[in-house]
Amino acid sequence: MGELYIDGEWTQAAAGGRRDVVNPYDASLVTTVDEADATDVDRAVRAARRAFAEEDWADLPTRRRADLLLRVHDLLLRDREDIARTETLDTGKTLAEARIDVEDVANAFRYYAELAGKDGGRVVDVAPDVLSRVVYQPVGVCALIAPWNYPLLQASWKVAPALAAGNTFVLKPSETTPLTTIMMIRLIEEAGAPPGVANLVLGSGATVGAALTRHPDVDLVSFTGGLNTGRAIMAAAAAEGPRNIALELGGKNPNIVFADADFDAAVDYALDAAFLHSGQVCSAGSRLLVEDSLHDRFVEAYAERARAIRLGNGMEDGIESGPLSSAEHREKVEGYIALGKKEGARLVTGGTRPDDPALSRGFFLLPTIFADCDRSMRIVQEEVFGPVVTVERFRTEDEAVELANDTRYGLAGGVWTSEASRAQRVAQRLRHGTVWINDFHPYVPQAEWGGFGRSGVGRELGPTGLREYQEAKHIYQNLAPAPSGWFKG
Ligand code: TXE
């Protein structure tokens, strides 16, 4: 029995490929899993196509699909500790974070179970002798590609609405973090999904991901990952399609602190914003904008708190942050740290690997703060995706907004102030998909998540997150048919 799940069977990769899964805390081997190739992808897409056409899944009363999602929700909670521990082994994140992730995953299933069937479409007012309505139907076969920072959470934001809408799917988790996704698919199987509705392939982006996004029988690709991969997926969707796409491509998210903000809360949340999960968060507040009059005091307190962050094994109590996800990713982040120095940013703290010998085998980096940054620097404009924050100064509200919007991304941003009307003004003007006022990071399944600009296309979560997996159909009925008489002959 292998770890690919195709047409209701657990199966091995046809060519026998295997891949090591490594714990980023100490580079130890966690396990090995099947490594698929294009042949397996083809099998999985065919299974999804067959199920979409032949199983009664898409035509089930919505309530029945919603019941399945609720069963998955319950099973996730039944197994939450196991899943959370596996997520920690796979990603290095703390167990406390992984537990929250699993709750959030379960909540996504419950939310879409509750939303499904609430919207029967709409009746369009045309004329008394016409019945015109718009209904929403599943798109078909969905290719779902997830990243490694929130492996199960990001997958669930795709899987739950795709199932609720009546689609079938082929899911590919990141090759570095496949383990909890395998667990989730087992739960979907246990919950009673018909064969071929949910399919799982494992393997590299270049081989398996590319084969999936190029497959002619895929109707929709939903992807969360990096900008360059997003571009490649968009190009493939054009070449093989056009077909529907949804892309969540990260961000360079401003966190604006006005001088009248609650100081302790703003410092505290600026840590969460930038250093949670070692900054490997698409919405990380890695671009801190501080009002000039507060700047020096703020940066000093911020650096002191950053130095106190306890790095270590996410499995242990009291550890506040784990390692980066892989050796390659750490090298990339280190490259950005070198670049920041070269560009003239002032290193306030961090910038190196920790010298604690207990952490030497893992992919750790110290929380890093650069001050005296300006918007022309690449370190300010590009997504580093590590524990690295840049600090800029601003003097006026207009300048804060202008800086915060000076990014090609537009995923999320925060604003800290005790003046309520200013908070609303700034939130209104920010060109970002989520804006937090006096907070950072919370998201809820009821509210849309996604980006302006190059942060992506489409939205996950909320009602729009379901619409991504639906086609609108207009059904127009003439209630009094008679010859139109347009052609006279
Ligand atoms: O991501 P990739 P990488 C950003 C972050 C990070 C950068 C690169 O800045 O440093 O992206 O990370 C699959 N066709 N984010 O290289 O490659 C891959 O197997 C189809 C932001 O690890 O985008 C994995 O399943 N699929 C982000 C998924 O894409 C392909 C989360 C994401 O990996 C593919 C992660 C291809 N040609 C990284 N190539 C966020 N938005 O939260 C790769 N993949």
Side-chain angles (χ1 to χ4, degrees):
M1 196 167 91
E3 292 88 23
L4 312 184
Y5 187 66
I6 300 176
D7 219 2
E9 304 277 339
W10 289 95
T11 164
Q12 290 170 341
R18 303 288 298 169
R19 175 183 287 268
D20 292 348
V21 178
V22 167
N23 181 346
Y25 162 64
D26 58 2
S28 62
L29 182 69
V30 178
T31 185
T32 66
V33 294
D34 279 289
E35 172 85 358
D37 64 15
T39 316
D40 304 298
V41 170
D42 185 52
R43 260 198 319 142
V45 174
R46 281 167 194 270
R49 174 58 60 199
R50 185 203 61 71
F52 189 69
E54 293 172 18
E55 300 288 340
D56 59 1
W57 178 246
D59 301 323
L60 278 182
T62 315
R63 191 66 254 154
R64 302 257 310 276
R65 287 197 301 270
D67 286 345
L68 182 128
L69 294 192
L70 288 175
R71 284 197 292 280
V72 176
H73 163 271
D74 293 348
L75 295 171
L76 284 161
L77 294 184
R78 180 194 70 188
D79 294 353
R80 83 181 107 185
E81 191 58 19
D82 241 16
I83 299 173
R85 286 182 168 274
T86 307
E87 197 76 310
T88 291
L89 279 180
D90 220 357
T91 62
K93 68 173 63 183
T94 65
L95 195 50
E97 272 185 73
R99 286 182 180 131
I100 293 171
D101 285 0
V102 182
E103 299 262 336
D104 288 345
V105 169
N107 285 339
F109 277 90
R110 187 174 54 195
Y111 172 71
Y112 282 109
E114 287 169 356
L115 190 67
K118 289 276 188 306
D119 182 357
R122 68 183 202 277
V123 173
V124 182
D125 186 4
V126 179
D129 56 0
V130 169
L131 176 56
S132 162
R133 62 196 178 97
V134 174
V135 296
Y136 293 93
Q137 298 188 329
V139 174
V141 174
C142 302
L144 310 178
I145 301 181
W148 42 261
N149 53 338
Y150 288 85
L152 196 58
L153 187 66
Q154 302 284 5
S156 73
W157 292 3
K158 303 178 190 306
V159 166
L163 289 177
N167 298 280
T168 62
F169 69 80
V170 180
L171 169 62
K172 190 197 93 62
S174 167
E175 54 274 40
T176 58
T177 55
L179 300 182
T180 52
T181 306
I182 298 170
M183 296 169 101
M184 177 178 71
I185 294 290
R186 286 192 197 286
L187 299 183
I188 291 173
E189 178 188 34
E190 186 179 342
V197 166
N199 301 279
L200 174 69
V201 290
L202 308 177
S204 77
T207 304
V208 176
L212 195 51
T213 53
R214 286 200 202 113
H215 199 290
D217 225 5
V218 162
D219 298 305
L220 173 150
V221 180
S222 176
F223 167 78
T224 303
L227 182 57
N228 289 334
T229 313
R231 286 188 174 126
I233 285 172
M234 205 161 181
E240 303 299 332
R243 60 169 60 126
N244 297 310
I245 51 168
L247 306 173
E248 203 268 73
L249 306 178
K252 187 74 184 185
N253 312 290
N255 185 15
I256 307 171
V257 184
F258 285 93
D260 66 357
D262 177 322
F263 185 82
D264 291 338
V267 170
D268 190 63
Y269 273 86
L271 293 173
D272 296 2
F275 300 126
L276 197 81
H277 195 16
S278 286
Q280 302 168 113
V281 185
C282 48
S283 53
S286 54
R287 188 177 176 191
L288 189 57
L289 303 170
V290 186
E291 190 165 353
D292 197 41
S293 59
L294 179 71
H295 178 277
D296 294 356
R297 186 175 151 234
F298 192 93
V299 170
E300 194 184 322
Y302 188 42
E304 196 181 317
R305 293 279 313 271
R307 283 184 208 106
I309 291 176
R310 291 192 57 203
L311 303 180
N313 184 352
M315 287 291 187
E316 284 171 19
D317 279 351
I319 292 303
E320 294 169 329
S321 189
L324 297 183
S325 73
S326 67
E328 300 72 41
H329 185 56
R330 178 170 65 177
E331 272 169 34
K332 179 185 151 184
V333 175
E334 287 176 324
Y336 270 111
I337 293 173
L339 176 71
K341 291 181 193 163
K342 208 168 119 206
E343 290 183 307
R346 176 168 59 89
L347 185 64
V348 179
T349 187
T352 60
R353 301 177 183 188
D355 50 19
D356 179 352
L359 305 183
S360 64
R361 276 178 302 157
F363 314 130
F364 287 91
L365 266 185
L366 290 176
T368 299
I369 300 173
F370 280 115
D372 300 342
C373 297
D374 76 72
R375 58 163 111 185
S376 66
M377 296 174 176
R378 279 180 57 200
I379 186 95
V380 170
Q381 292 293 344
E382 295 178 21
E383 185 180 50
V384 175
F385 225 59
V388 178
V389 62
T390 61
V391 192
E392 294 157 83
R393 297 168 187 263
F394 68 87
R395 280 167 196 80
T396 64
E397 184 178 319
D398 281 348
E399 192 188 0
V401 170
E402 197 200 327
L403 287 172
N405 284 339
D406 182 13
T407 169
R408 59 183 181 164
Y409 290 107
L411 186 63
V415 48
W416 288 84
T417 175
S418 52
E419 196 193 306
S421 51
R422 171 157 65 194
Q424 288 297 332
R425 275 195 310 271
V426 172
Q428 188 64 33
R429 293 172 69 192
L430 290 182
R431 303 271 309 155
H432 296 267
T434 296
V435 178
W436 294 292
I437 298 172
N438 296 334
D439 210 317
F440 213 97
H441 275 326
Y443 54 83
V444 291
Q446 305 91 301
E448 277 71 5
W449 178 262
F452 287 33
R454 290 182 191 162
S455 286
V457 175
R459 290 292 181 273
E460 301 198 283
L461 301 181
T464 317
L466 183 61
R467 280 282 184 265
E468 297 285 346
Y469 294 91
Q470 294 174 318
E471 295 277 18
K473 179 192 279 184
H474 178 204
I475 301 176
Y476 178 107
Q477 184 179 6
N478 183 344
L479 300 177
S484 76
W486 181 270
F487 293 106
K488 309 293 181 218

